[in-house]
């Protein structure tokens, strides 16, 4: 790459929430970045519209039934069926795929020695033992696009010495739409209520995960994987304003926090520009409008998913992959109106009880654990 040539950005999951916001960041910083490749599962109409504006070199469409249609609509670019092909033409790959399906892009990007801007936390959580060694491939670099982990990544830059000086990581949680409710209050809540997140506008899967605090639980595992910090040193605190995105505490008692308004374009821009920063101030705080920052302890009796994730993380090995797969099945059932909100934690607890541990060495091992856990979760749903 020439020093002043724009950084080439590929977006896997380009029509989702992270994908569309990545395009906004690139367009705001168009002298520094260009989108060279876009990939989707089957959201073909939105992909075609994006490609007609951005004119990428390559588009990937996982759904084989829609590929010819895309090729006909976009004669100026190459069309492939494999999202991992995006890696070949880019300097940075933004992985905004939803769920476990993002594992292939995570692995391919690191294996190719590229920067991975990772919004797909599931691939890191499920594939931890497989993804970990790939991070030392020359050129490979993982920069998180999760607001909390972006915050921690920034906080840790305040410790530059060779010694390990972090004593604690504090992940903030908005608490979701049901903060302050009890189990009795939550017996009859609807899908619409669960989808109404108070501070973040996100896709449906992560929004439901936020309502159960499973998202925070998965983020605890993600923090463990990303920063090598033990589970006893990772705490969760509820912070309803979503302005403090997380904190790192050091051995001398100092706590460094990262603050900004809730806007995912900031973590996306950070991951593109690191170690530099973009020029567009997404998430800038207006101190004349911000009145207070509140903090409270999470209610783990009501939001059991947080404890389940800690348990899976502490068990390690294939347990995070198992829990993640079961969670995807159960959340899908909730989104489909087949189970109630309280059933989510109940089924996941039962699924974790019957976890079948196995060692994860290859991607295929992870895929097999994922498939087995999905089967188990489906059979538990039918009981
Ligand atoms: Mg997050």
């Amino acid at each position: 790459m020439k020093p002043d040539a724009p950084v080439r950005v590929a977006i896997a999951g380009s029509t989702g929430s992270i994908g569309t916001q990545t395009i906004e960041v690139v367009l705001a910083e168009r002298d520094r970045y260009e989108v060279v490749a876009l990939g989707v599962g089957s959201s073909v109409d939105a992909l075609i519209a994006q490609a007609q504006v951005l004119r990428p070199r390559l588009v990937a469409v996982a759904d084989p039934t829609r590929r010819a249609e895309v090729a006909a609509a976009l004669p100026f670019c190459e069309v492939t069926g494999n999202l991992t092909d995006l890696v070949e033409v880019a300097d940075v790959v933004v992985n905004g795929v939803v769920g476990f399906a993002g594992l292939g892009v995570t692995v391919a990007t690191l294996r190719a020695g590229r920067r991975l801007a990772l919004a797909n936390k599931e691939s890191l959580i499920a594939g931890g033992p497989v993804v970990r060694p790939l991070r030392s491939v020359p050129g490979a670099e993982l920069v998180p696009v999760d607001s909390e982990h972006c915050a921690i990544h920034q906080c840790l830059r305040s410790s530059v010495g060779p010694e390990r000086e972090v004593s604690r990581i504090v992940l903030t949680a908005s608490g979701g739409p049901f903060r302050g409710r009890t189990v009795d209050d939550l017996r009859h809540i609807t899908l619409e209520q669960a989808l109404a997140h108070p501070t973040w506008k996100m896709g449906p899967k992560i929004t439901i995960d936020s309502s159960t605090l499973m998202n925070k639980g998965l983020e605890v595992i993600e923090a463990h994987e990303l920063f090598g910090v033990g589970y006893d040193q990772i705490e969760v605190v509820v912070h309803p304003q979503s302005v403090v995105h997380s904190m790192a505490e050091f051995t001398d008692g100092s706590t460094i926090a990262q603050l900004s308004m809730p806007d995912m374009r900031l973590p996306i821009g950070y991951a593109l520009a690191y170690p530099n920063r973009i020029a567009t101030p997404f998430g800038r705080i207006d101190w004349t409008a911000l009145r207070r920052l509140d903090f409270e302890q999470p209610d783990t009796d009501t939001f059991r998913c947080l404890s389940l994730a800690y348990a899976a993380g502490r068990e390690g090995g294939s347990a995070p992959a198992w829990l993640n797969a079961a969670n995807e099945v159960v959340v899908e059932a909730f989104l489909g109106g087949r189970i109630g909100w309280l059933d989510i934690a109940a089924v996941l607890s039962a699924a974790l009880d019957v976890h079948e541990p196995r060692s994860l060495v290859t991607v295929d091992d992870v895929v097999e654990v994922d498939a087995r856990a999905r089967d188990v979760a489906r059979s538990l749903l039918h009981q």
Side-chain angles (χ1 to χ4, degrees):
M1 183 178 55
K2 283 178 293 186
D4 47 5
V7 174
R8 300 170 302 167
V9 179
I11 310 171
S14 66
T15 58
S17 174
I18 292 293
T20 53
Q21 292 183 84
T22 301
I23 291 169
E24 289 174 25
V25 173
V26 169
L27 293 179
E29 302 266 322
R30 63 178 85 213
D31 52 331
R32 294 173 69 181
Y33 303 99
E34 65 172 326
V35 173
V36 294
L38 299 168
V40 298
S42 57
S43 306
V44 162
D45 298 334
L47 170 78
I48 290 171
Q50 288 178 335
Q52 279 164 345
V53 174
L54 296 165
R55 315 280 292 187
R57 289 167 51 187
L58 178 75
V59 299
V61 181
D63 183 348
T65 65
R66 308 291 303 273
R67 221 168 283 149
E69 179 189 336
V70 174
L74 305 174
F76 53 84
C77 75
E78 191 186 333
V79 180
T80 162
N82 202 338
L83 259 64
T84 57
D85 290 344
L86 301 181
V87 174
E88 300 309 320
V89 296
D91 304 306
V92 184
V93 178
V94 178
N95 187 352
V97 173
V98 176
F100 182 74
L103 182 65
V105 171
T106 289
V107 167
T109 304
L110 295 174
R111 204 171 262 163
R114 302 287 156 86
R115 174 176 296 185
L116 172 65
L118 183 67
N120 176 267
K121 68 188 80 172
E122 291 89 345
S123 57
L124 187 63
I125 289 156
V130 174
V131 173
R132 228 172 281 146
L134 295 176
R135 291 174 64 189
S136 43
V137 169
E141 194 176 18
L142 199 173
V143 186
V145 181
D146 199 345
S147 59
E148 297 79 1
H149 305 76
C150 173
I152 298 296
H153 198 272
Q154 296 184 59
C155 296
L156 294 180
R157 291 169 79 178
S158 65
S159 173
V160 296
E163 299 296 324
R164 183 94 192 151
E165 296 169 333
V166 182
S167 58
R168 190 158 58 139
I169 279 179
V170 182
L171 295 177
T172 53
S174 70
F178 306 137
R179 181 176 63 88
R181 309 272 190 104
T182 63
V183 169
D184 269 347
D185 299 334
L186 294 168
R187 229 169 272 288
H188 302 293
I189 66 100
T190 63
L191 177 58
E192 287 66 32
Q193 290 171 306
L195 285 173
H197 196 278
T199 51
W200 292 101
K201 196 177 173 302
M202 307 174 288
K205 196 266 177 181
I206 187 171
T207 303
I208 299 306
D209 283 347
S210 295
S211 80
T212 61
L213 291 198
M214 178 56 89
N215 181 53
K216 206 52 52 181
L218 295 177
E219 287 179 352
V220 168
I221 303 173
E222 183 185 9
H224 169 82
E225 286 295 330
L226 282 171
F227 306 115
V229 174
Y231 285 99
D232 292 340
Q233 291 169 283
I234 305 174
E235 286 179 23
V236 171
V237 64
V238 173
H239 165 51
Q241 290 88 2
S242 299
V243 169
V244 176
H245 294 296
S246 279
M247 304 175 253
E249 183 190 279
F250 296 92
T251 49
D252 63 354
S254 279
T255 293
I256 306 289
Q258 186 263 330
L259 286 73
S260 51
M261 298 311 289
D263 188 328
M264 284 309 295
R265 293 173 299 181
L266 189 155
I268 292 166
Y270 179 87
L272 295 181
Y274 175 80
N276 303 305
R277 289 184 185 266
I278 59 170
T280 314
F282 295 114
R284 188 171 177 274
I285 295 171
D286 176 0
W287 293 99
T288 66
L290 184 65
R291 284 283 169 271
R292 50 189 287 181
L293 300 171
D294 295 301
F295 299 92
E296 58 193 62
Q297 288 304 300
D299 170 7
T300 49
D301 292 332
T302 304
F303 300 94
R304 294 166 62 202
C305 288
L306 180 57
S307 307
L308 292 173
Y310 264 102
R314 285 196 164 99
E315 188 176 341
S318 57
W322 185 274
L323 180 67
N324 177 67
N327 183 54
E328 290 190 21
V329 169
V330 172
V331 169
E332 203 175 280
F334 177 73
L335 286 170
R338 299 194 295 280
I339 59 168
W341 188 88
L342 287 177
D343 300 326
I344 296 174
V347 175
L348 290 177
S349 177
L352 201 54
D353 283 345
V354 295
H355 167 226
E356 299 159 12
R358 62 171 285 180
S359 66
L360 303 181
V361 180
T362 65
V363 170
D364 286 345
D365 295 336
V366 184
V367 170
E368 282 168 26
V369 167
D370 178 87
R372 175 70 188 140
R374 281 170 198 268
D375 285 345
V376 168
R378 278 188 206 102
S379 67
L380 288 168
L381 280 175
H382 288 129
Q383 282 170 22

